[in-house]
């Protein structure tokens, strides 16, 4: 507690970001430290779990220390620790969980485990101080593409998800085949701005009538087939056009389904979350399509879209307030469901 | 001096507290690979058994490997963060040395010359080290002197090296001692889960009667021996800050080995050129 404000330390290590943050009253970011390993994993073309785990261990103390320093608070002033315990890479998760438990024990601070996906949604509480449930949430990231109804704090009803690749995964795969490399999301987003999104007809996969699920694995095959066909015909390939057309096929389906879900459940707001929520075309299209139906679209700033500790702190704060029991026997759950 | 020692490099996690007189209290898990879930309870149990508050601790020690990569990390992170938050120095202890320490009395009683902890690293690989058990001049205390580097060995290479050492000792003794067995009986004292994995290979490559296997009660890692080594190190000032406490994996991550060897899949390394 400092100046009458309840302080939560959030710790996040579920993939390739070592992150910690201090958040006041579940809403105000006092510090947000993110140590990214992206440069290390680029050499391998993707995240290598064992290397990620090793790196998390080397960074975790400094990241926590800096989060406290940046917020100008001491460990003793922290009222609650929240840590991501799943879903994610098990070896990566356990660094954060072990660190959180050691700190909770050493400093006598209650600890609650946070579902990483709830954290992504909570990022919006930090960005939009007046936002309260109910709302519809759209989570798009390297590992997830999900539509979730949020009737109240800490209550998430998953309505649809991907049946194969997550949106971010599809971006990575296609970026690799067109030579843009890793990480695919930002690179495709950038190239697409120079390209014509109607130049190549990639199929939109809507699945059964009314389904809120996604399927993106076919797009990679389509991209490969297109490249082969053009190469055989001796035509030069315009990478920007491929990126723009592919991206459009992904984000159009996502936007349509998110809006459909909001209408179906009578939600007047859609909040976006996850790394791919930073995609500029997805942001624009969401606003267009939701706007036509009188639905507001809220999104966190890019720094809160990536994996971070602040969103975990916010989710932990609301879980604790709702009565989540502190747990020093917390375990990592790599396949944690919503 | 009050040291908390953590051992999570093997199958069963444990925690121990030792004071300057060498008095030890410990708690061990009987559930396999329960390190992450159970560690704080074990630490709490060891501290309350010892009647020590965490604010009274002076050092945090951890067994830093080799062993299970995941296990090593849980122990090291726990120690690092506790040390950071309680503002205490750390002590780094080798899991292999602690395993040797654990069986030292038993090895000396068995008349063994070499103490050899062997950790199974699969596919004929091991992490191992070789220590010579020595008596100090007063014949009261026993100590361990490293004679072969702690590192990754193929089990065959380790056994060859041990055979060579025994042959050497035999030559030294030739003419003076009638029976080799009388002099070198139980010469090698094996411990660690490497026994479970490679018992047959050991039996096939060393002469019967020249080696002993540690009983299961002493065979695996335990925080008590980590604590004893940590006490000696702390007394001699061999301590680190929390950020200096690092895992001793003894092996690169597989992807890193391949990257260095240039055998990482081309598909991954180089994007398709158009």
């Amino acid at each position: 507690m400092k100046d009458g404000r309840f302080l939560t330390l959030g710790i996040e290590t579920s993939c390739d970001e070592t992150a910690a943050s201090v958040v006041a009253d579940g809403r105000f970011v006092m510090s947000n430290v993110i140590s990214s390993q992206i440069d290390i994993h680029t050499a391998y073309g993707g995240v290598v779990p064992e290397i990620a785990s090793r790196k998390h261990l080397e960074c975790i103390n400094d990241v926590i220390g800096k989060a406290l320093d940046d917020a100008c608070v001491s460990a003793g002033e922290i009222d609650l620790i929240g840590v991501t315990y799943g879903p994610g890479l098990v070896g990566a998760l356990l660094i954060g969980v072990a660190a959180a438990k050691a700190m909770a024990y050493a400093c006598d601070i209650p600890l609650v485990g946070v579902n990483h996906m709830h954290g992504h949604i909570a990022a919006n509480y930090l960005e939009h101080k007046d936002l309260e449930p109910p709302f519809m949430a759209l989570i798009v990231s390297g590992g997830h593409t999900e539509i979730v109804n949020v009737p109240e704090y800490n209550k998430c009803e998953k309505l649809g998800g991907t049946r194969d690749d997550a949106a971010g995964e599809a971006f990575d795969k296609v970026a690799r085949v067109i030579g843009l490399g890793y990480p695919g999301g930002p690179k495709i987003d950038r190239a697409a701005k120079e390209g014509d999104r109607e130049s190549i007809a990639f199929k939109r996969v809507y699945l059964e009538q009314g389904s809120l699920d996604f399927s993106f694995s076919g797009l990679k095959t389509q991209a490969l087939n297109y490249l082969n066909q053009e190469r055989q015909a001796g035509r030069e390939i315009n990478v920007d056009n491929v990126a723009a057309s592919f991206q459009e096929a992904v984000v159009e389906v996502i936007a349509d389904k998110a809006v459909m879900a909001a209408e179906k459940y009578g939600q007047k707001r859609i909040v976006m979350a996850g790394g791919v929520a930073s995609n500029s075309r997805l942001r624009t299209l969401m606003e267009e399509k939701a706007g036509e139906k009188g639905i507001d679209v809220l999104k966190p700033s890019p720094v809160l879209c990536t994996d971070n500790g602040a969103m975990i702190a916010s989710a932990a704060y609301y879980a604790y307030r709702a009565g989540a029991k502190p747990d020093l026997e917390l375990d990592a759950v790599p396949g944690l469901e919503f | 001096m009050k040291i908390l020692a953590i051992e999570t490099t093997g199958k069963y996690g444990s925690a121990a507290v030792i004071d300057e007189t060498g008095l030890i209290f410990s708690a061990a898990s009987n559930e396999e690979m329960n390190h992450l879930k159970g560690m704080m309870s074990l630490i709490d149990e060891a501290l309350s058994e010892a009647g020590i508050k965490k604010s009274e601790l002076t050092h945090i020690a951890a067994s830093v490997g080799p062993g299970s990569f995941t296990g090593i990390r849980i122990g090291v992170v726990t120690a690092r963060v506790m040390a950071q938050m309680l503002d205490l120095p750390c002590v780094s202890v080798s899991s292999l040395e602690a395993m040797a320490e654990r069986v030292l009395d038993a090895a000396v009683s068995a008349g063994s010359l070499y103490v050899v902890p062997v950790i199974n690293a699969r596919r004929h690989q091991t992490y191992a080290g070789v220590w010579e058990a020595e008596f100090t001049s007063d014949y009261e205390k026993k100590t361990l002197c490293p004679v072969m580097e702690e590192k990754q060995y193929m089990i065959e290479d380790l056994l060859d090296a041990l055979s060579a050492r025994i042959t050497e000792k035999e030559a030294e003794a030739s003419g003076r001692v009638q029976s080799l067995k009388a002099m070198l009986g139980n010469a090698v004292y094996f411990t660690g889960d490497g026994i479970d994995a490679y018992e047959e290979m050991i039996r096939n490559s060393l002469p019967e009667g020249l080696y002993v296997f540690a009983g299961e009660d002493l065979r695996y890692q335990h925080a008590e021996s980590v604590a004893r080594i940590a006490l000696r190190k702390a007394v001699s000032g061999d301590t680190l800050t929390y950020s200096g406490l690092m895992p001793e994996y003894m092996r690169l991550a597989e992807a890193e080995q391949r990257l260095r060897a240039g055998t990482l899949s081309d598909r991954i390394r180089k994007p398709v050129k158009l």
Side-chain angles (χ1 to χ4, degrees), chain B residues 228-240:
Chain B
R228 280 197 291 270
I229 295 175
L231 177 61
R232 292 201 294 269
K233 285 185 137 186
V235 166
S236 67
D238 187 0
T239 63
L240 302 159

Side-chain angles (χ1 to χ4, degrees), chain A residues 110-179:
Chain A
L111 166 72
V112 297
V114 172
N115 183 319
H116 181 78
M117 307 309 290
H118 293 194
H120 273 305
I121 293 171
N124 283 281
Y125 299 140
L126 300 167
E127 187 76 39
H128 311 287
K129 306 283 186 259
D130 301 326
L131 175 68
E132 288 192 342
F135 52 76
M136 190 61 65
L138 168 67
I139 304 163
V140 263
S141 70
H144 295 269
T145 312
E146 266 140 11
I147 296 176
V148 180
N149 189 35
V150 184
E152 51 193 83
Y153 285 115
N154 301 304
K155 197 162 176 200
C156 296
E157 302 162 0
K158 183 175 156 184
L159 305 177
T162 183
R163 293 187 184 167
D164 39 59
D165 292 351
E169 237 173 321
F171 274 89
D172 279 341
K173 286 181 176 174
V174 169
R176 192 185 294 155
V177 300
I178 61 177

Side-chain angles (χ1 to χ4, degrees), chain A residues 257-270:
Chain A
K257 294 207 175 203
V259 172
M260 185 165 88
E263 278 196 289
K264 193 169 159 191
Y265 284 78
Q267 300 289 21
K268 286 287 159 210
R269 286 169 305 189
I270 300 173

